[in-house]
Amino acid sequence: VGKGPLAGKHVLITSGPTHEAIDPVRYIANRSSGKQGHAIAAAAAAAGARVTLVSGPVGVADPAGVAVVKVQSAREMVAAVEKALPADIAIFAAAVADWRVDNEGGQKIKKKGGKPPSLTFVENPDILATIAQRKAKRPKLVIGFAAETEKVIEHAQAKLARKGCDFIVANDVSPTGGAMGGDTNRVHLVSAKGVETWPSQSKSDVARQLVARAGEMLAKK
Ligand code: C5P
């Protein structure tokens, strides 16, 4: 049994992108390094929690002391998340692809006569909204992320209401911000109670503070 403020608690985290197959050799994805999500998993483990990290394809190493479930697509990710329930805290840091290719080919699509293929898309399940709106086995605390390039707070507030989570960690990923793929992050904590802006800091410091805050909020529930 672990020691620390989250001893005895189960923390479920998603991280990284999802890959949605076009055919057996091609995919579409969002840009996501997995650095922030993996740092949160490491911080939760350091705080004594039992941690399940459901990760899309990333280049970063598995954090020590964490159960890592590796998935490719959004549908695999939602299934792995459901399977990992119940959890006390769920933190959805993955950059899930909003759409998958509807007409995914079983064989590699070949170039033919200069005519590019057309892809049609269908919407992927929204994992955060699905879990936050569950009647049974809803984690006590559900935290989402919002990567925005403009109107960061407004968009996060709208997202909070739409998804039904307890708070949103909003980060500015405009090209000048350096969050995308980088090691630092400037985030705003957006809840029904208001907005709190944290100074720009390393993703591991964001992770530690976020885990500490989540622990405090869980204790008050
Ligand atoms: O709607 P948007 O993608 O901006 O919302 C971001 C938040 O929702 C993140 O926490 C992300 O992990 C989560 N999300 C999800 N499943 C999706 C899309 C987003 O869990 N299909």
Side-chain angles (χ1 to χ4, degrees):
V1 180
K3 285 196 190 115
L6 289 179
K9 304 296 180 196
H10 181 209
V11 180
L12 171 60
I13 296 158
T14 67
S15 184
T18 62
H19 285 184
E20 311 295 333
I22 296 170
D23 67 21
V25 298
R26 305 182 178 97
Y27 62 85
I28 58 162
N30 286 3
R31 273 183 215 289
S32 170
S33 63
K35 283 178 182 175
Q36 186 63 78
H38 278 55
I40 294 167
R50 174 167 79 82
V51 181
T52 305
L53 174 63
V54 179
S55 177
V58 294
V60 289
D62 292 352
V66 166
V68 184
V69 183
K70 294 183 182 170
V71 299
Q72 296 280 328
S73 67
R75 283 185 297 178
E76 286 170 18
M77 187 173 273
V78 76
V81 165
E82 301 260 4
K83 200 173 161 211
L85 294 176
D88 297 284
I89 301 172
I91 305 177
F92 295 94
V96 182
D98 290 314
W99 307 281
R100 66 176 179 274
V101 178
D102 192 23
N103 49 343
E104 180 198 333
Q107 302 293 336
K108 185 180 173 190
I109 303 168
K110 304 301 288 178
K111 279 183 271 190
K112 12 180 197 297
K115 193 177 167 290
S118 316
L119 301 176
T120 58
F121 293 93
V122 283
E123 209 164 304
N124 265 331
D126 188 313
I127 305 169
L128 168 60
T130 303
I131 300 304
Q133 290 167 26
R134 276 180 75 103
K135 300 259 182 317
K137 287 206 243 176
R138 183 194 190 273
K140 289 180 202 86
L141 198 59
V142 178
I143 302 171
F145 271 72
E148 303 289 351
T149 56
E150 55 162 9
K151 296 187 191 155
V152 178
I153 309 273
E154 277 162 78
H155 285 146
Q157 280 165 335
K159 202 160 286 185
L160 183 74
R162 196 168 65 240
K163 308 253 188 181
C165 55
D166 298 288
F167 68 95
I168 290 272
V169 182
N171 53 345
D172 186 340
V173 294
S174 55
T176 50
M180 200 72 99
D183 292 313
T184 59
N185 211 355
R186 180 162 176 267
V187 304
H188 314 269
L189 248 55
V190 180
S191 72
K193 290 204 183 105
V195 180
E196 199 180 303
T197 297
W198 290 357
S200 179
Q201 54 194 330
S202 71
K203 288 182 177 175
S204 54
D205 283 339
V206 169
R208 271 192 290 274
Q209 280 205 50
L210 187 61
V211 164
R213 180 58 64 89
E216 288 164 18
M217 292 179 75
L218 184 67
K220 282 191 206 138
K221 286 230 159 199

